[in-house]
Amino acid sequence: MPPGPEITAEAPAPEATVPAPQARPRRAVRLARLARREAARTGIAALAGIAFALSFPPYDVWPLSVVAVAALALLTRGRTVRQAAWTGFAFALPFFFVLLRWLRVVGYDAVTGLSIAEALFVAALGAALALVSRLRAWPLWGACLWVAQELARDRLPLGGFPWGRLAFANTGSPFTPLAALGGAPLVTFAVALTGGLLAYAVTAAPKLRAAAGAGRLRAALPGVEALALAAAVLLAGYAVPVPTKADDEVKVALVQGNVQHAGMDFLGRPMMILDNHAEATLQLARDVKAGRVPKPDLVIWPENSSDLDPFQYPQAYDRIQEAVKAVGVPVLVGALVDHPGQSGYIDNKGIVWDPKTGPGASYAKQHPVPFGEYVPFRSTLSKVITRLQRVQRDFYPGDHTGVMQVGPARLGDVICFEVAYDEIVRDTVKAGARALVVQTNNATYGRTGQPEQQLAMSRLRAVEHGRAVVTVATSGISAVVAPDGTVQQRSAEFTRDVISATLPLRDGTTVADRVGAAPEWVLAMVGLLSCAAALLIGRRVRTDERNKRGQQ
């Protein structure tokens, strides 16, 4: 049979050969539309994040932390999980970028990379806030989620990075005394709850405008109640007793020897930092002999005050011995020394140096800073990021707390960034520290705001544990903080200074010491369970709606 007629009959009509429809826009177009739609919300979130950064030192406008929490709650309320995650990220990225700008001495790529990594945790917080905003009492669940976010960020990855906690923006606010009850997590919870309640009051305002007559008073009640409760939480700290009575006292001298240069090359020539601190101590000894200052019971030098290992370089050992003998009292010296059991590693130590017996008890830093004091995955990353090669040897983590007898005082040594970690400071106090010492070297980050941020942490720790805290820095800020968190004395940056003070020693413990990490874990679990409840309720509502449509 000839094929012609069959082909003609089955050939598609010209209309059927049109290309595939273009109804769905391309991905780039969809993203562009989404960006335009979310631009205003994203911009407001970014501004709120910048405001949040200004609540921290060196700016110290702590009420902005409450406003920022309220703004994030409002911006994520009623949004989808994805939308709220983006809002959280848009809030957090500028916040961390401004807060951590002190890392610019390493490079702005370090600032950006760390800011992105930390902002991912707040993106997860934003998504969770959107979920619980569908529940009753959502300000409460939101406050618990802030604690959960900080719990995760303080521990992950590589031991975590606690900078930027709500509590650290409130070390001199009405919320601060709450640290004596539940530590930094309780302060974070109270600030977040206050911000959430303010957001709740804002959401109640449209109902008030829509109401009329007698219903207007009824519509105003939820907002008024939220504001009243926010005020109660804000003022609750004034009802918390902060113990400050000393069981004993000790005279201390804090030696800030200063450095030659700020930034990454602060060390200068070998022995320069050590000579600065030794000479300042020798001058202290001359002043004591002349009666210009009282003789201290002990002297404290900062982290890295000996820039050479005194056990490897006799000239460093002799220089320290000279200064200690001249002042005639024990000196807590900061030094980097070769680890005795792990070849190629070094210890960041505080060493008790006695004028008669020489070096004795010591404490090695337990939490070295990744990428600053050790390089994770060194063999791979150091080839990609050549600046990591400047960290020539890795620090080895210590295995015990820093409680040491320094002359007549049993002090707890905490080195530099360790003051940001709850468990390290808490374990030191529980091990018997009667006062806390923060040996630090902030010369790399001088005049960047980082020393002020670290001093704020010392203030919170003083209240949290009812202990005086002395911060001793190579180039500043060195300071004496009373058990109630007030800064009694402080030095200027990049000057040689010796601060003499009478330090109260205390044996009592606070409620925060006794309950430990329990409040943080309980609040975090409540936050996570509220997310689970929101998911279950949402699934049930969607199932009920489908069933109703099926019945119709």
Side-chain angles (χ1 to χ4, degrees), residues 424-449:
I424 290 178
V425 185
R426 181 170 56 243
D427 290 347
T428 302
V429 172
K430 291 177 72 174
R434 306 184 77 195
L436 292 168
V437 174
V438 181
Q439 289 182 294
T440 187
N441 172 23
N442 287 327
T444 302
Y445 306 112
R447 300 193 182 102
T448 64

PDB file of all heavy atoms in Angstrom, residues 424-449:
ATOM      1  N   ILE A 424      34.292  27.181  81.217  1.00  0.00           N
ATOM      2  CA  ILE A 424      35.674  27.336  81.683  1.00  0.00           C
ATOM      3  C   ILE A 424      35.721  28.209  82.926  1.00  0.00           C
ATOM      4  O   ILE A 424      36.367  27.865  83.928  1.00  0.00           O
ATOM      5  CB  ILE A 424      36.554  27.914  80.560  1.00  0.00           C
ATOM      6  CG1 ILE A 424      36.739  26.875  79.448  1.00  0.00           C
ATOM      7  CG2 ILE A 424      37.911  28.360  81.103  1.00  0.00           C
ATOM      8  CD1 ILE A 424      37.548  27.350  78.268  1.00  0.00           C
ATOM      9  N   VAL A 425      35.022  29.344  82.899  1.00  0.00           N
ATOM     10  CA  VAL A 425      35.014  30.241  84.056  1.00  0.00           C
ATOM     11  C   VAL A 425      34.284  29.576  85.227  1.00  0.00           C
ATOM     12  O   VAL A 425      34.754  29.635  86.375  1.00  0.00           O
ATOM     13  CB  VAL A 425      34.365  31.578  83.696  1.00  0.00           C
ATOM     14  CG1 VAL A 425      34.462  32.544  84.870  1.00  0.00           C
ATOM     15  CG2 VAL A 425      35.026  32.187  82.464  1.00  0.00           C
ATOM     16  N   ARG A 426      33.159  28.938  84.948  1.00  0.00           N
ATOM     17  CA  ARG A 426      32.393  28.291  86.021  1.00  0.00           C
ATOM     18  C   ARG A 426      33.209  27.185  86.697  1.00  0.00           C
ATOM     19  O   ARG A 426      33.231  27.087  87.933  1.00  0.00           O
ATOM     20  CB  ARG A 426      31.090  27.726  85.449  1.00  0.00           C
ATOM     21  CG  ARG A 426      30.206  27.061  86.496  1.00  0.00           C
ATOM     22  CD  ARG A 426      28.832  26.733  85.937  1.00  0.00           C
ATOM     23  NE  ARG A 426      28.909  25.900  84.741  1.00  0.00           N
ATOM     24  CZ  ARG A 426      28.486  26.279  83.541  1.00  0.00           C
ATOM     25  NH1 ARG A 426      27.965  27.471  83.363  1.00  0.00           N
ATOM     26  NH2 ARG A 426      28.573  25.459  82.517  1.00  0.00           N
ATOM     27  N   ASP A 427      33.879  26.356  85.917  1.00  0.00           N
ATOM     28  CA  ASP A 427      34.691  25.278  86.490  1.00  0.00           C
ATOM     29  C   ASP A 427      35.838  25.835  87.328  1.00  0.00           C
ATOM     30  O   ASP A 427      36.227  25.237  88.349  1.00  0.00           O
ATOM     31  CB  ASP A 427      35.251  24.387  85.381  1.00  0.00           C
ATOM     32  CG  ASP A 427      34.180  23.552  84.706  1.00  0.00           C
ATOM     33  OD1 ASP A 427      33.057  23.472  85.246  1.00  0.00           O
ATOM     34  OD2 ASP A 427      34.452  22.995  83.627  1.00  0.00           O
ATOM     35  N   THR A 428      36.374  26.969  86.915  1.00  0.00           N
ATOM     36  CA  THR A 428      37.470  27.586  87.667  1.00  0.00           C
ATOM     37  C   THR A 428      36.991  28.056  89.027  1.00  0.00           C
ATOM     38  O   THR A 428      37.675  27.861  90.043  1.00  0.00           O
ATOM     39  CB  THR A 428      38.055  28.762  86.861  1.00  0.00           C
ATOM     40  OG1 THR A 428      38.499  28.288  85.590  1.00  0.00           O
ATOM     41  CG2 THR A 428      39.234  29.392  87.591  1.00  0.00           C
ATOM     42  N   VAL A 429      35.818  28.670  89.082  1.00  0.00           N
ATOM     43  CA  VAL A 429      35.270  29.120  90.359  1.00  0.00           C
ATOM     44  C   VAL A 429      34.914  27.921  91.244  1.00  0.00           C
ATOM     45  O   VAL A 429      35.220  27.904  92.448  1.00  0.00           O
ATOM     46  CB  VAL A 429      34.040  30.011  90.125  1.00  0.00           C
ATOM     47  CG1 VAL A 429      33.332  30.324  91.444  1.00  0.00           C
ATOM     48  CG2 VAL A 429      34.445  31.305  89.426  1.00  0.00           C
ATOM     49  N   LYS A 430      34.306  26.900  90.658  1.00  0.00           N
ATOM     50  CA  LYS A 430      33.917  25.725  91.439  1.00  0.00           C
ATOM     51  C   LYS A 430      35.128  24.977  91.981  1.00  0.00           C
ATOM     52  O   LYS A 430      35.036  24.265  92.982  1.00  0.00           O
ATOM     53  CB  LYS A 430      33.059  24.797  90.581  1.00  0.00           C
ATOM     54  CG  LYS A 430      31.678  25.384  90.260  1.00  0.00           C
ATOM     55  CD  LYS A 430      30.870  24.485  89.352  1.00  0.00           C
ATOM     56  CE  LYS A 430      30.391  23.239  90.071  1.00  0.00           C
ATOM     57  NZ  LYS A 430      29.484  22.440  89.216  1.00  0.00           N
ATOM     58  N   ALA A 431      36.282  25.147  91.319  1.00  0.00           N
ATOM     59  CA  ALA A 431      37.505  24.493  91.790  1.00  0.00           C
ATOM     60  C   ALA A 431      38.163  25.253  92.937  1.00  0.00           C
ATOM     61  O   ALA A 431      39.176  24.781  93.480  1.00  0.00           O
ATOM     62  CB  ALA A 431      38.495  24.342  90.638  1.00  0.00           C
ATOM     63  N   GLY A 432      37.604  26.405  93.321  1.00  0.00           N
ATOM     64  CA  GLY A 432      38.094  27.093  94.510  1.00  0.00           C
ATOM     65  C   GLY A 432      38.701  28.460  94.305  1.00  0.00           C
ATOM     66  O   GLY A 432      39.286  29.013  95.248  1.00  0.00           O
ATOM     67  N   ALA A 433      38.560  29.054  93.132  1.00  0.00           N
ATOM     68  CA  ALA A 433      39.115  30.387  92.907  1.00  0.00           C
ATOM     69  C   ALA A 433      38.382  31.419  93.754  1.00  0.00           C
ATOM     70  O   ALA A 433      37.156  31.493  93.725  1.00  0.00           O
ATOM     71  CB  ALA A 433      39.013  30.751  91.431  1.00  0.00           C
ATOM     72  N   ARG A 434      39.148  32.232  94.472  1.00  0.00           N
ATOM     73  CA  ARG A 434      38.555  33.277  95.311  1.00  0.00           C
ATOM     74  C   ARG A 434      38.461  34.609  94.582  1.00  0.00           C
ATOM     75  O   ARG A 434      37.773  35.523  95.031  1.00  0.00           O
ATOM     76  CB  ARG A 434      39.362  33.435  96.592  1.00  0.00           C
ATOM     77  CG  ARG A 434      39.542  32.127  97.368  1.00  0.00           C
ATOM     78  CD  ARG A 434      40.262  32.351  98.663  1.00  0.00           C
ATOM     79  NE  ARG A 434      39.396  32.933  99.663  1.00  0.00           N
ATOM     80  CZ  ARG A 434      39.846  33.505 100.796  1.00  0.00           C
ATOM     81  NH1 ARG A 434      41.143  33.610 101.015  1.00  0.00           N
ATOM     82  NH2 ARG A 434      38.991  34.012 101.663  1.00  0.00           N
ATOM     83  N   ALA A 435      39.165  34.724  93.487  1.00  0.00           N
ATOM     84  CA  ALA A 435      39.079  35.855  92.564  1.00  0.00           C
ATOM     85  C   ALA A 435      39.557  35.340  91.214  1.00  0.00           C
ATOM     86  O   ALA A 435      40.210  34.292  91.127  1.00  0.00           O
ATOM     87  CB  ALA A 435      39.926  37.033  93.032  1.00  0.00           C
ATOM     88  N   LEU A 436      39.217  36.073  90.158  1.00  0.00           N
ATOM     89  CA  LEU A 436      39.539  35.629  88.805  1.00  0.00           C
ATOM     90  C   LEU A 436      40.551  36.569  88.156  1.00  0.00           C
ATOM     91  O   LEU A 436      40.483  37.786  88.332  1.00  0.00           O
ATOM     92  CB  LEU A 436      38.278  35.565  87.941  1.00  0.00           C
ATOM     93  CG  LEU A 436      37.254  34.489  88.327  1.00  0.00           C
ATOM     94  CD1 LEU A 436      35.934  34.732  87.588  1.00  0.00           C
ATOM     95  CD2 LEU A 436      37.783  33.098  88.028  1.00  0.00           C
ATOM     96  N   VAL A 437      41.465  35.974  87.415  1.00  0.00           N
ATOM     97  CA  VAL A 437      42.453  36.725  86.653  1.00  0.00           C
ATOM     98  C   VAL A 437      42.274  36.390  85.181  1.00  0.00           C
ATOM     99  O   VAL A 437      42.224  35.209  84.814  1.00  0.00           O
ATOM    100  CB  VAL A 437      43.889  36.364  87.088  1.00  0.00           C
ATOM    101  CG1 VAL A 437      44.907  37.049  86.177  1.00  0.00           C
ATOM    102  CG2 VAL A 437      44.125  36.743  88.535  1.00  0.00           C
ATOM    103  N   VAL A 438      42.160  37.411  84.335  1.00  0.00           N
ATOM    104  CA  VAL A 438      42.102  37.211  82.887  1.00  0.00           C
ATOM    105  C   VAL A 438      43.407  37.754  82.315  1.00  0.00           C
ATOM    106  O   VAL A 438      43.582  38.964  82.179  1.00  0.00           O
ATOM    107  CB  VAL A 438      40.891  37.916  82.254  1.00  0.00           C
ATOM    108  CG1 VAL A 438      40.865  37.656  80.751  1.00  0.00           C
ATOM    109  CG2 VAL A 438      39.596  37.435  82.892  1.00  0.00           C
ATOM    110  N   GLN A 439      44.335  36.852  82.035  1.00  0.00           N
ATOM    111  CA  GLN A 439      45.572  37.254  81.370  1.00  0.00           C
ATOM    112  C   GLN A 439      45.288  37.315  79.869  1.00  0.00           C
ATOM    113  O   GLN A 439      44.794  36.349  79.293  1.00  0.00           O
ATOM    114  CB  GLN A 439      46.680  36.239  81.626  1.00  0.00           C
ATOM    115  CG  GLN A 439      47.218  36.220  83.047  1.00  0.00           C
ATOM    116  CD  GLN A 439      48.349  35.219  83.190  1.00  0.00           C
ATOM    117  OE1 GLN A 439      48.146  34.018  83.072  1.00  0.00           O
ATOM    118  NE2 GLN A 439      49.554  35.704  83.456  1.00  0.00           N
ATOM    119  N   THR A 440      45.596  38.435  79.258  1.00  0.00           N
ATOM    120  CA  THR A 440      45.254  38.570  77.850  1.00  0.00           C
ATOM    121  C   THR A 440      46.304  39.379  77.114  1.00  0.00           C
ATOM    122  O   THR A 440      47.047  40.168  77.713  1.00  0.00           O
ATOM    123  CB  THR A 440      43.861  39.225  77.693  1.00  0.00           C
ATOM    124  OG1 THR A 440      43.481  39.212  76.327  1.00  0.00           O
ATOM    125  CG2 THR A 440      43.858  40.659  78.210  1.00  0.00           C
ATOM    126  N   ASN A 441      46.358  39.155  75.809  1.00  0.00           N
ATOM    127  CA  ASN A 441      47.229  39.941  74.946  1.00  0.00           C
ATOM    128  C   ASN A 441      46.373  40.463  73.804  1.00  0.00           C
ATOM    129  O   ASN A 441      46.051  39.732  72.874  1.00  0.00           O
ATOM    130  CB  ASN A 441      48.373  39.085  74.402  1.00  0.00           C
ATOM    131  CG  ASN A 441      49.186  39.821  73.363  1.00  0.00           C
ATOM    132  OD1 ASN A 441      49.197  41.051  73.322  1.00  0.00           O
ATOM    133  ND2 ASN A 441      49.868  39.089  72.511  1.00  0.00           N
ATOM    134  N   ASN A 442      45.964  41.705  73.912  1.00  0.00           N
ATOM    135  CA  ASN A 442      45.089  42.299  72.895  1.00  0.00           C
ATOM    136  C   ASN A 442      45.834  43.249  71.965  1.00  0.00           C
ATOM    137  O   ASN A 442      45.207  44.061  71.280  1.00  0.00           O
ATOM    138  CB  ASN A 442      43.936  43.057  73.572  1.00  0.00           C
ATOM    139  CG  ASN A 442      42.914  42.106  74.174  1.00  0.00           C
ATOM    140  OD1 ASN A 442      42.687  41.030  73.647  1.00  0.00           O
ATOM    141  ND2 ASN A 442      42.326  42.495  75.286  1.00  0.00           N
ATOM    142  N   ALA A 443      47.171  43.137  71.945  1.00  0.00           N
ATOM    143  CA  ALA A 443      47.946  44.064  71.123  1.00  0.00           C
ATOM    144  C   ALA A 443      47.588  43.944  69.648  1.00  0.00           C
ATOM    145  O   ALA A 443      47.588  44.933  68.915  1.00  0.00           O
ATOM    146  CB  ALA A 443      49.443  43.801  71.325  1.00  0.00           C
ATOM    147  N   THR A 444      47.269  42.721  69.207  1.00  0.00           N
ATOM    148  CA  THR A 444      46.897  42.519  67.807  1.00  0.00           C
ATOM    149  C   THR A 444      45.665  43.336  67.446  1.00  0.00           C
ATOM    150  O   THR A 444      45.553  43.842  66.324  1.00  0.00           O
ATOM    151  CB  THR A 444      46.621  41.040  67.536  1.00  0.00           C
ATOM    152  OG1 THR A 444      47.794  40.278  67.856  1.00  0.00           O
ATOM    153  CG2 THR A 444      46.271  40.793  66.074  1.00  0.00           C
ATOM    154  N   TYR A 445      44.735  43.484  68.402  1.00  0.00           N
ATOM    155  CA  TYR A 445      43.449  44.118  68.124  1.00  0.00           C
ATOM    156  C   TYR A 445      43.293  45.451  68.846  1.00  0.00           C
ATOM    157  O   TYR A 445      42.171  45.892  69.118  1.00  0.00           O
ATOM    158  CB  TYR A 445      42.316  43.177  68.522  1.00  0.00           C
ATOM    159  CG  TYR A 445      42.427  41.815  67.892  1.00  0.00           C
ATOM    160  CD1 TYR A 445      42.693  40.688  68.661  1.00  0.00           C
ATOM    161  CD2 TYR A 445      42.294  41.660  66.520  1.00  0.00           C
ATOM    162  CE1 TYR A 445      42.804  39.434  68.076  1.00  0.00           C
ATOM    163  CE2 TYR A 445      42.407  40.409  65.928  1.00  0.00           C
ATOM    164  CZ  TYR A 445      42.671  39.297  66.718  1.00  0.00           C
ATOM    165  OH  TYR A 445      42.788  38.057  66.122  1.00  0.00           O
ATOM    166  N   GLY A 446      44.403  46.086  69.148  1.00  0.00           N
ATOM    167  CA  GLY A 446      44.337  47.363  69.850  1.00  0.00           C
ATOM    168  C   GLY A 446      43.598  48.421  69.050  1.00  0.00           C
ATOM    169  O   GLY A 446      43.713  48.493  67.827  1.00  0.00           O
ATOM    170  N   ARG A 447      42.827  49.234  69.770  1.00  0.00           N
ATOM    171  CA  ARG A 447      42.046  50.340  69.202  1.00  0.00           C
ATOM    172  C   ARG A 447      41.051  49.867  68.138  1.00  0.00           C
ATOM    173  O   ARG A 447      40.743  50.600  67.195  1.00  0.00           O
ATOM    174  CB  ARG A 447      42.966  51.407  68.605  1.00  0.00           C
ATOM    175  CG  ARG A 447      43.937  52.025  69.622  1.00  0.00           C
ATOM    176  CD  ARG A 447      44.596  53.275  69.082  1.00  0.00           C
ATOM    177  NE  ARG A 447      45.551  53.817  70.040  1.00  0.00           N
ATOM    178  CZ  ARG A 447      46.876  53.667  69.953  1.00  0.00           C
ATOM    179  NH1 ARG A 447      47.391  52.970  68.941  1.00  0.00           N
ATOM    180  NH2 ARG A 447      47.669  54.199  70.849  1.00  0.00           N
ATOM    181  N   THR A 448      40.545  48.666  68.277  1.00  0.00           N
ATOM    182  CA  THR A 448      39.545  48.166  67.332  1.00  0.00           C
ATOM    183  C   THR A 448      38.194  47.941  67.991  1.00  0.00           C
ATOM    184  O   THR A 448      37.232  47.599  67.318  1.00  0.00           O
ATOM    185  CB  THR A 448      39.997  46.830  66.725  1.00  0.00           C
ATOM    186  OG1 THR A 448      40.074  45.839  67.759  1.00  0.00           O
ATOM    187  CG2 THR A 448      41.338  46.957  66.020  1.00  0.00           C
ATOM    188  N   GLY A 449      38.107  48.079  69.312  1.00  0.00           N
ATOM    189  CA  GLY A 449      36.880  47.771  70.039  1.00  0.00           C
ATOM    190  C   GLY A 449      36.910  46.398  70.688  1.00  0.00           C
ATOM    191  O   GLY A 449      36.115  46.128  71.599  1.00  0.00           O
TER     192      GLY A 449
END
